[in-house]
Amino acid sequence: MSGAASVAANAKPGGRVAIETGGAVLSSEGSSPVVGARAAAAKAQAGAPDEAPATTGGLGGIREQMRTQRKLRVVTLVSLAVVVLVVLPAFFGVRAAGSDPVFGSLDSLDVPSWAEQKVDDQSSGSRWCFTDCTFRERTAQSQKSFTETTAAYTSALTAAGWSPWKVGDCPEQAVDPKDSTYTCFKRDEFTLDLWVSPPDCKVDQVAANDPSVAGATAPPDPKTLGECAGSAVSIKVQNAIEDTRGKPDPDPSPITGETPDPELSNDPLLEPTPTAS
């Protein structure tokens, strides 16, 4: 009776009856449940976990991008360090080993073209002074006289920072001032000897006319005797620490001297033993 009374009480005009079944309400017109407030709340709670994976996946993607960027920055820094610490020193080392800076400095001298014909460079020793420092020598031919050639080279060397160096043994052997000059210069840790002498053809003529070497060299061609002009240039450069000119002689060692002659005494042990009679 109570159920019937409840149904009668919930009866609505038009013949429609609504029956309460806990949280859901059944309509007399069909069997489909009508979602109420509680059902909607339960569905909302049930749908909340479905959205969490999407949110978590977005944060993971951001973290992955940050890790990738950090890796790229590390790779970039390592590459730059390798270039600065390995590649550049190797490049400049190979470049320095392939070209001598002293010969490069001589190439940059403001010398007329007529004064540097047939240039030839020779060097020996170690550039880093292992055992021996490098000794450099350049030879060239000049088309003009030794006085004009000497003036051209002296002016170029002075303009490049070389200072005349007046020192003993410059030259080591006397030269004839009538046909040659010999001057010394100094700059930073280097010394330079400039010798301007007669050309090779003139030397051959002098040697051919010398009775002591007659027949040792072929006689010069008479057609070329009048064409022998110009001068020969020799430039020698060495490190100042290897150049002993102008430096005092080292002090002699105090322990060196003459060994005295031995003195013999009247020691009987030094007399020969007498023979038995």
Side-chain angles (χ1 to χ4, degrees):
M1 294 297 290
S2 60
S6 176
V7 170
N10 291 327
K12 295 182 180 180
R16 301 180 60 185
V17 179
I19 303 174
E20 294 184 2
T21 58
V25 179
L26 296 179
S27 176
S28 61
E29 295 181 353
S31 61
S32 299
V34 178
V35 180
R38 293 181 180 178
K43 185 177 181 180
Q45 292 179 359
D50 295 337
E51 298 176 358
T55 305
T56 305
L59 292 176
I62 294 175
R63 293 192 186 97
E64 186 65 25
Q65 291 179 1
M66 293 178 64
R67 284 194 294 268
T68 304
Q69 292 177 359
R70 283 196 295 268
K71 291 180 180 179
L72 290 175
R73 285 196 294 267
V74 171
V75 171
T76 302
L77 291 176
V78 171
S79 301
L80 291 176
V82 170
V83 170
V84 173
L85 299 178
V86 178
V87 177
L88 290 180
F91 170 76
F92 288 110
V94 172
R95 182 179 179 182
S99 59
D100 194 318
V102 175
F103 286 132
S105 177
L106 295 178
D107 292 335
S108 63
L109 292 177
D110 188 15
V111 178
S113 59
W114 52 261
E116 50 179 3
Q117 303 288 325
K118 301 180 180 179
V119 177
D120 181 37
D121 294 333
Q122 300 290 335
S123 63
S124 61
S126 171
R127 189 180 305 178
W128 293 275
C129 291
F130 294 149
T131 306
D132 294 321
C133 294
T134 304
F135 180 83
R136 306 166 178 88
E137 183 176 8
R138 165 172 290 190
T139 58
Q141 298 294 326
S142 175
Q143 297 176 346
K144 295 188 178 182
S145 64
F146 75 96
T147 55
E148 296 176 284
T149 304
T150 301
Y153 274 94
T154 301
S155 177
L157 289 171
T158 304
W162 292 89
S163 301
W165 186 33
K166 303 295 184 180
V167 64
D169 296 334
C170 178
E172 297 181 358
Q173 297 179 355
V175 297
D176 190 355
K178 297 179 180 179
D179 56 10
S180 60
T181 59
Y182 199 105
T183 51
C184 296
F185 298 85
K186 194 171 185 179
R187 176 186 175 185
D188 299 332
E189 71 273 18
F190 297 104
T191 61
L192 183 147
D193 291 21
L194 172 64
W195 181 29
V196 183
S197 59
D200 295 339
C201 58
K202 186 72 172 293
V203 175
D204 294 339
Q205 292 179 8
V206 174
N209 295 328
D210 189 353
S212 61
V213 294
T217 59
D221 188 355
K223 297 181 180 179
T224 61
L225 293 177
E227 300 177 358
C228 184
S231 56
V233 180
S234 174
I235 299 177
K236 300 178 181 179
V237 181
Q238 57 183 325
N239 292 65
I241 58 175
E242 289 287 323
D243 197 338
T244 58
R245 294 176 296 182
K247 297 180 180 179
D249 295 334
D251 297 333
S253 176
I255 62 175
T256 58
E258 296 181 0
T259 303
D261 296 332
E263 296 181 1
L264 301 178
S265 62
N266 296 325
D267 190 345
L269 296 177
L270 299 177
E271 297 179 359
T273 304
T275 58
S277 57

